[in-house]
Structures are given as structure tokens and as C-alpha cells.
Amino acid sequence: MIVPFGHVLMLAGVLFSLGMFCALARRNLIMIVLGIEIMLNAASIIFVSAALHWESLEGQAFVLFILAVAATEVSVGLAIIIYAFRRTGSFDPSTYNLLK
Amino acid sequence: MTLHGFIFYVLAAVTVAATVVAITRRNLVHAVVYLIFSYFGTAMLFYLFGAPLLAALEVIIYAGAIMVLFLFVVMMIKVEASEEVLFPRSQWLPAAIFGLIYAVVGCLMIAAAPGAEMSLKLLSATPREFALYVFQSHWFSVEVVSLLLLIALVAALYLGKGQGKEKSKAEGEV
Amino acid sequence: MTIFSGEYATLPVVTTATMLPFVAFLLIILLTRSRPRLSAALSVGAIAVSLGCALFLLGLHRHLEKPIQYTGRWLASSEVQIPFGFLIDPLSLLMLVIVAGICLLVQVYSLGYMEGDPGFSRYYAFMSLFAWAMLSLTVSPTILQLYIFWELVGLSSYLLIGFWYEKFSATQAGKKAFVMTRAGDVAFFLGLLLVLLHMGNLSILEMNGPQAAARMSPAVLTLSALLIFGGIAGKSAQFPLMTWLPDAMEGPTPVSALLHSATMVAAGVYLFARLFPFFSLSPTAMNVFLAIGTISMLLASTMAMVSNDIKKVWAFSTISQLGFMIMGLAAGGYFAGVFHLTTHAGFKALLFLCSGVFIHQYQTNDIFELGWLGARRLKAPVVAIIVAAAALSGIPPLSGYFSKEAILAGLAGLSNPVWLSAGLVGVFLTAYYSFRVIFVICLPQTHATASEGSSHASGLNHEDGRHERQYRTMARPLIVLATITVVLGFFEGPLKDFLIGRPIAAEPSGGGHLAWAQYGALALAVFGAWWAWMEFGRPGAGLVGFVERMPPLYNLFAQRWYIDHFYRLFVDRIIDRGISALCFQNDNKVIDGGIDEMSRGTVESGRVIALLHTGAIQHRLIVTFAVIVFLSLYFFF
């Protein structure tokens, strides 16, 4: 008997909204990616606790894959950011508005 | 409140606090380091919820590889704190609003979910059982993930290398 | 054709009688505009045939018991059936003869009067149009058909009043006549619709029958009667829609004789007689009609007393006599009203035609000038005008005496003596103003130089031969009408049998007042003539009427009781600056403004939405997360 499942969900929800806030409100491309990582982390917590709740290992397997995908996406994302920085010289996302 | 419950609440508080501090740092390096603390907390949570292998993997991959990658990039490019206003009001206001809406909706949904009051049990999945499960039921996904990593490798190489080629070309012509 | 009884000849004859003038109108307008004599021949020929047909029908059906109706299917929509066709009953037969007869006499007269006028063919075309419309009006079986021809009569009146369209006052007068009668016709149409709603059809026979009382409540009956009377008031120039008739004298004198004395304005009274049983169902409405008739009669008589234009005097007199007729009908005297209509058509047309001869000869309308210029030298018009004025005043044994007695008998039968008193006052005033004109023209005071007058007269006779012929053409109808005026009174008995073979509505019960009223009226008429003699006729008279000695009263009468001023004010202030200004503002600000605002709002909202297109990554991310939140809301709820 650890804790009611709802509490874990709420913790994960808070973490998710913090990550969303970071992705939307920081004027730095790298912080956007950081926010995404926080959101992924929150999702992982939910998966693991859900696996415990339903007593199924499926949730944990999925967290494994989330980890892998997060790694992939961070590396490619950072490579793109460096590329974009070399092209425009700025990390501010509001300067990337050619698609308006 | 049981001991495990108490541990959970402490860990939850640490994680959230570390995350909050992380997203409000102007210096990127500080932000990353605080986030590593957050990931440590998460790893402990994983261990509490009966996934010891995942806890270890979290520390190794997430905190150890991904965040270090961030640090490499930050230090290489010498990202200065270019923002004068950390949170311009036009940006944090809509984000805060949506965050609040999301939080409220989330709480309502959780409260209405049928199984939310049940307490989690104390179980643990040994690495052996976990590995057997993954490779028996989800081996295909493992293969796909490895392919994905290959693609990421190629992409990173290409994006990083393309600059070098252009630079040498320009120098060559001049 | 549905109902069909009587001789086989009736339908073709009545069709010919009504449609032949229309054929003449079309031919003249389309083909013979450039040939005046042919146009006149067509028109006169057509109306002569119509008169023949009308007389034939009158003879054929002189013992008619039930009305004959010929109808064809016209407007049919589930329960509402409005046919077109003809209705033959004693009243319509009598009116047919009157209308066709007066039309023929006036058209013959116009051959002399309008000779040489550039619009000669156009004149006869409009005359035929009027004849068609008026004849069809008298034989209409439904109120709707009657309304259609009512409007057509109004149209021909407008065309004929403004005949000399180069004169601005003539076109103004035509417009005024049309608009004023149209205002009355709006009320008429509303009444018509009310009847249609409650009764399901507009057949006159049904409206006069028991179905009307059965299907319509008393309040609805009164309301529809009052509304239909609005049309009558407009057409017959009763108070308050009476000011168009004096102005209508701008038209040629034969037009005034035909339309605005004998037939068109009588159409209102004819409608009253037509719907007499229907109107009798509502005593309230009949009282209102009585009051309006009385007011018109008295008002118009006072206006006639101070007018110096010969045609305007007879115009006011027409309004007054029409009021008298309406009083008679509203008091319950069906035969009295119709009989006065008949005799009035005769002597009023005669009065106008005589005046026309004077005007044609001396080119002036003023009675004093006509007197000085020696109008009394024209024998036939003078005799005729004296006969007609005597008939108008009610001097026996002329026709006017018998018809006035009939109406006064009806008024005497009413419980309230005020109506009879008003009628007697009217008799006095009528005699006074008609004999005023007679004496001024025939016995002019010679304080204007007579030599001037005679030189004037001789100067006009330079075209002797043509004048003589025109004069003879104009004089013949005068003689015919004068003869009719003299003898018509003695036909009262046969006419009464013909019209009221069967009981129609309440006949006035003659009380003990009857004999008293008879002698009283005669005495008053003679007294009025004597007073006019004292002021205008006798040698050395002052030529100043007793009204003119009281300037405020004189002004009131001369300004036509300021009714025209009131209307001008009303139209200017309330309608022009009030209602139409409001509507104009509404059109600009509300309707146009609304549409403009809508388009401007669309453009502005487009601009606002365009602000979202910033292209910044984080804005798009916000939108993405917002959508996810709302989707979760959707799935949750």
C-alpha cells in the first residue's frame, strides 16, 4: 500500500504542465527541448505507476521505448538547433517566423 | 500513512521543486543540472513503483546521456543568456492559462476515474522477468527502436558534417 | 355561365352596352388620333348605341322581380370565389340609363365646345374610357369588380382634369383629385378585405342578403361599413376629403358636367345605394354617415355663397347636394336618395353646360364679368340656367322639388330634429347661392360701363359663322336636359314602383312633421331666392352679400374653412418632415448602416484573426496544447 493511484496521476500532471509551461514560455530553443524532455518524463511516471496499478509489465516495457525515443529526438533536435544557430545566429524562436 | 507513502510524498516534492527551479533559470547550465536532480527523483520513484531496471536505465540514459549531451551543446556553442526579459508577459500569460486549465481538467478527470482511489500495491519486477517479457512480447519494437537510433545517428552526422563541407569549400575558393 | 334566367337577349345587350365604349377608346387611342372628326364620331356612336341598349334593357325588365346575374369564373382559391360578370337589377338599370344618357348629351355638347382644340381626339378617347368604366361599375356583381372600375373612373377623372396639361394648375388639380380619392380608396379596400375575410366572397347580392348578418358580428359590420364609406367620402367629395372637387374645375366644362356633377361623384352615392341593406345592418355607421353628409352639405353651401367663379359655385353645390343625398340614404330613405341622384344628375349637368356656353362665349369664369359682358343676351342658356337653378333650389313643379321633398320626408321621420333643421337650412342656402348667380348674370348692375361690355362682346364675334354653329351644337343638349328637368318630377310614382317592387330596407315612417316640413321647405326656398333678389337682383342693390358684411365669416368661407391649409400643413409637417424623414433616416442608418457595419465587422474581425498568423513556434505550440486540452474536455464530458 503505497499511495492512491490518483495522487501519482496528479504528480505526473503537475510535472507535465510544468514541462508545457517551459516549452511555451521560454524564449530559448534549447529550453523548448528541455520542456519536451520534462513532459516525456512525466509520461513515463504515469506508465510505470499504471503498470503497478494494473499489475502488468506492459507499462514498463513502454517506458523503455520512451527512453530510447527521447534519446533519439534529443540528439536530432540539438543537431538541428546548432544548424539553425549557425544559419541565423539567434536562439530566439520568435526570429524564426518566415512561415507566417 | 505508511512508510512508502511518506517516501513517495518526499520524492514527489523534491522532483517538482527541482523541476520548477530548473525551468526558471536564466543560465542554461544551471537549468540542466537542476533537471538532473529531477531525474534522480524520478528514478527513485521508479524504484518505489517496482521497476528497478528502469530506475537504473533512467539514471544511465536520461540523466547520464541526454543531459550530458545538453551540457556539451551548451558549452560548445557558448549560449549566452540572450533573453532580457525571462518571461515576457505575452508569452507566459497564455501558457499559464492553459496550464491552469489543464491542471483543473486533469484533477477533474482523475477524481472521476473509477480506479483512482485504490492504493498501489507493493510489488517489484525483477530485471530477469522484465527482460523476458520485453523480448518475448515486444521484440519487434526493439528492432524498430534500434533502427530509429541508426537514423538518428545518420541525421546527426549529416547535420553536423554539412557545415564543415561548406566551410572548407568557401575557404578553398577564397 | 352560372345563373341564367330571363330573356336570351339580356346578356349580349348588356355586354355591348358596357364594352362598346371601350372598343371606341382603343380604336381612337391606337388608330385615329390624327383624325379628330372620326374619333368624335366613333365615341359618340359608341355611347349612343350604349344608350340604346340601356333603354332596351330598361324596357325589357321593367317588371323585374329578382336580380339577374351573369358570372364567369375568375378568382378561385379553395373557399374564396370571386367571379366577374354583370348584375341586372332595377338600381343598376336606372343608373345605366342615367350614365349613358348624360354621357351622350355631354359628348354631343363637346362637339361644339372643344372644337379646334389640339387634343380633340385624346379628349374623346378619355370620354369613352370614362363611359366604359362608369357603365361597368354600375353592373358589377362583386365589390371587387366595382372597386376595379371605381379606380378606372378615378383614372379617367385624373386624365380629364389635367387635360390641358400645359397649365400647371390643371396638372396639380388632377394630381390632388387622384391622391385624395386614392386615400379614401385605401379605406375602401380595407373594408373590402374585412368583408372578404368574414364572408368568404364579395358578391353584392350576398352582402345585401341574410348571410352578411349571419356571418359577421355587429362590430365587424360597423367597422367594414365605416371603412367602405371612406371610399365613398373620397369619391363623392364629402367631408373631410372634399377639397379636390373645386380644384377639379380646371378641366374643360363638359368634363365638369359629366364627371364632377352627374356621374363620377355620384358613383359614391350609387355604391351607398347598392349596399344599402348591408349598411342598414349597422345603425351606428348610418348615424356617422348622416353626420358626415350634413356637415358636407352645410360647409359646401357656405363656401358657395362667397365664390365668384361660376364653375366653383356649382362645384360646391355638387358637394352640398351629394351630402344631401347621403343624408337621405342614411336616414333610411332608399328611394329618396336614388331619386335625388337621378334628378340632380339632370339639373346639375344642365347648370354646368349652360355655364360652359357662357365661358366659351366670353372667355371668363367670373360671374360679375359675365353679367357686365352681357351674357343675358344668349337666350337658350339663360332660360335653361334659370330652370336648372330653380330645380336646384326646389321650386315646384320642377324635378328638384319632388326629390328634395322625398329626402326631407325621410329626415322628418328621424327622432332627432337636428337633421331636419340642418336640411331646411341647407334648402335656404341652396336657393340663396343659386339665385345669387342667376341675378348677377342676368340682371347685372350697370355701374360698370355698359359700352365697354358691348364692345367686348362684339369683339369676340369676329368668327361669326363658326361661333354660330358651335353655339347651336351646344344649345341642343341644353334644351333636351331642360325638358327632362321639367318633366322628371312627375315620374316619381312609376320610378318608385320600379325601384322598390319588393321591400328593401326600412322606409321612414312619415310623422306629423311631414306636411309641415313640406311647406316649410318651399317657404324657405322662396325666401332664399327673395333674399338673393334683395342683395343682388333688384336695381340699385349693393351686390354685397350678407356674409361679406362680416369679414371674419367671409374669410372663413372664402378660404374654404381652412381645410386646404390644414391638409398642406399636415402633409408638410407630419408626413414630409415627420414620417418620411423618419423612414429616410431608417433607410440610411439602420438598413444601409447595418449592412455596412456587417461588412466592416467582417473586415475587422479578419484583421484581428490575422494577428494570429505570427509564424512563431511557441504560438503554434500554444494552439496545439489548447486543442489537446479541449479534446480532453470533450472526451471527459
Side-chain angles (χ1 to χ4, degrees), chain C residues 182-206:
Chain C
R182 198 75 189 89
D185 294 341
V186 170
F188 185 2
F189 197 66
L190 287 174
L192 192 155
L193 285 177
L194 211 55
V195 170
L196 180 62
L197 271 176
H198 285 88
M199 265 187 55
N201 65 3
L202 292 169
S203 159
I204 292 182
L205 287 178
E206 276 200 35

Side-chain angles (χ1 to χ4, degrees), chain A residues 20-66:
Chain A
M20 190 171 82
F21 182 77
C22 178
L24 297 180
R26 288 294 299 258
R27 295 191 85 107
N28 198 317
L29 287 173
I30 298 182
M31 289 307 281
I32 294 179
V33 183
L34 220 58
I36 295 174
E37 295 310 308
I38 301 172
M39 287 194 265
L40 282 169
N41 190 37
S44 317
I45 294 180
I46 294 192
F47 270 113
V48 169
S49 62
L52 183 59
H53 183 63
W54 299 110
E55 296 169 25
S56 153
L57 278 178
E58 194 120 6
Q60 298 190 0
F62 203 73
V63 173
L64 189 65
F65 299 130
I66 289 181

Side-chain angles (χ1 to χ4, degrees), chain C residues 67-409:
Chain C
I68 307 176
Q69 188 171 269
Y70 300 101
T71 50
R73 221 171 126 90
W74 182 38
L75 289 179
S77 153
S78 69
E79 302 110 17
V80 174
Q81 300 273 336
I82 303 181
F84 72 93
F86 303 108
L87 173 65
I88 312 282
D89 75 347
L91 180 62
S92 59
L93 284 175
L94 180 65
M95 195 69 179
L96 264 179
V97 170
I98 296 175
V99 171
I102 306 262
C103 272
L104 176 65
L105 287 170
V106 168
Q107 287 197 12
V108 168
Y109 176 91
S110 312
L111 286 173
Y113 190 89
M114 300 291 288
E115 184 176 324
D117 191 293
F120 197 71
S121 309
R122 187 163 54 99
Y123 177 83
Y124 273 100
F126 293 152
M127 277 280 180
S128 295
L129 175 69
F130 170 76
W132 168 57
M134 192 69 204
L135 289 171
S136 308
L137 192 153
T138 53
V139 290
S140 300
T142 60
I143 292 286
L144 184 61
Q145 187 171 340
L146 195 145
Y147 184 74
I148 293 173
F149 286 111
W150 181 279
E151 293 294 334
L152 273 170
V153 166
L155 169 71
S156 44
S157 160
Y158 163 75
L159 289 170
L160 283 166
I161 293 175
F163 181 72
W164 288 314
Y165 53 82
E166 294 96 357
K167 224 165 60 137
F168 184 64
S169 57
T171 54
Q172 287 289 86
K175 202 166 52 161
K176 179 172 178 176
F178 195 75
V179 171
M180 221 176 230
T181 50
R182 198 75 189 89
D185 294 341
V186 170
F188 185 2
F189 197 66
L190 287 174
L192 192 155
L193 285 177
L194 211 55
V195 170
L196 180 62
L197 271 176
H198 285 88
M199 265 187 55
N201 65 3
L202 292 169
S203 159
I204 292 182
L205 287 178
E206 276 200 35
M207 278 172 78
N208 287 345
Q211 295 100 321
R215 287 197 219 163
M216 293 169 68
S217 68
V220 171
L221 272 172
T222 309
L223 183 60
S224 53
L226 286 172
L227 284 172
I228 294 181
F229 190 75
I232 297 179
K235 186 69 85 187
S236 296
Q238 297 299 294
F239 179 82
L241 295 170
M242 57 201 268
T243 57
W244 65 269
L245 194 52
D247 290 348
M249 297 299 119
E250 295 282 342
T253 310
V255 168
S256 308
L258 180 59
L259 268 69
H260 305 122
S261 63
T263 43
M264 189 189 93
V265 296
V269 181
Y270 173 73
L271 179 63
F272 197 146
R274 241 288 156 259
L275 293 177
F276 186 76
F278 178 73
F279 286 146
S280 313
L281 290 171
S282 162
T284 325
M286 292 294 251
N287 278 340
V288 171
F289 301 160
L290 195 57
I292 291 183
T294 313
I295 295 177
S296 314
M297 183 192 74
L298 291 174
L299 248 53
S301 306
T302 58
M303 293 184 210
M305 286 198 303
V306 299
S307 175
N308 285 348
D309 182 327
I310 190 171
K311 284 178 70 175
K312 288 210 166 46
V313 173
W314 304 136
F316 291 126
S317 169
T318 306
I319 301 176
S320 171
Q321 292 303 304
L322 287 168
F324 203 54
M325 280 179 233
I326 289 184
M327 281 171 80
L329 281 170
Y334 174 74
F335 172 69
V338 176
F339 188 44
H340 195 54
L341 176 69
T342 318
T343 57
H344 174 263
F347 57 70
K348 192 45 71 68
L350 182 56
L351 278 171
F352 270 105
L353 293 180
C354 298
S355 319
V357 176
F358 293 141
I359 295 172
H360 188 72
Q361 200 74 3
Y362 295 106
Q363 306 293 317
T364 174
N365 281 14
D366 188 289
I367 49 178
F368 289 103
E369 285 186 23
L370 284 175
W372 300 333
L373 291 171
R376 66 189 180 287
R377 261 174 284 179
L378 306 170
K379 293 297 173 238
V382 166
V383 170
I385 206 173
I386 293 180
V387 168
L392 176 58
S393 313
I395 312 279
L398 301 170
S399 56
Y401 167 71
F402 291 98
S403 53
K404 282 207 177 188
E405 290 308 315
I407 292 190
L408 286 171

Side-chain angles (χ1 to χ4, degrees), chain C residues 492-512:
Chain C
E492 185 180 354
L495 262 178
K496 191 162 184 167
D497 284 334
F498 174 62
L499 268 181
I500 329 185
R502 70 237 175 285
I504 292 197
E507 279 284 344
S509 55

